[in-house]
Amino acid sequence: MGSGPGLFRQERFLTGMEAPAEVELQLGRHRHAVPLLHYAVHEYPPRERFAGYLCSRSTARAGTAKPLVVYAQHRARLVAEPGSEPGPLCAPSTPGSSPRTRS
C-alpha cells in the first residue's frame, strides 16, 4: 500500500463520501445515497463501510433477501481481488442476528 500525500487525499476523499451517504440513509433519502454507495462499493471494495451501508439500505427497503445478495456479491469481489474476507461491518443483519456496530 502506498503512503504519503496521495494516500492521505484518498482517505479524506473516501471519508468525505461516507458521511453524506450515512446522513442520507438516516434521513430516509435512499435514492440519493444508493448511486454513491454502488459506485463506492465497486471502486473501493476494501472499504467495507460502503457495502455495510448498502446492506443496511437494502434491509430497510427489501427485507432480508436483498442484503444477502449485496453481501454475497461484495464478498465474492473481495475474495477474488485482494484475497480476503469481509469483516463484520459489512455482514448483513438478518432476523435473529445481533446488530452490527459501527465506529
Side-chain angles (χ1 to χ4, degrees), residues 10-101:
Q10 182 179 17
E11 182 64 27
R12 282 187 39 198
F13 171 73
L14 293 173
T15 301
M17 288 173 55
E18 287 174 350
E22 183 175 20
V23 168
E24 294 290 342
L25 291 174
Q26 288 175 349
L27 293 174
R29 297 190 300 221
H30 299 132
R31 87 183 137 134
H32 297 283
V34 169
L36 170 69
L37 292 172
H38 279 290
Y39 166 79
V41 166
H42 177 73
E43 291 296 318
Y44 306 99
R47 190 74 167 220
E48 64 184 39
R49 188 174 302 264
F50 294 121
Y53 289 155
L54 198 52
C55 285
S56 296
R57 179 266 174 194
S58 298
T59 300
R61 303 277 297 183
T64 60
K66 182 70 173 173
L68 294 175
V69 170
V70 170
Y71 176 78
Q73 290 171 343
H74 181 66
R75 181 186 178 278
R77 180 141 187 217
L78 277 180
V79 170
E81 288 184 12
S84 64
E85 290 281 335
L89 187 63
C90 176
S93 56
T94 57
S97 68
S98 60
R100 292 186 300 261
T101 57

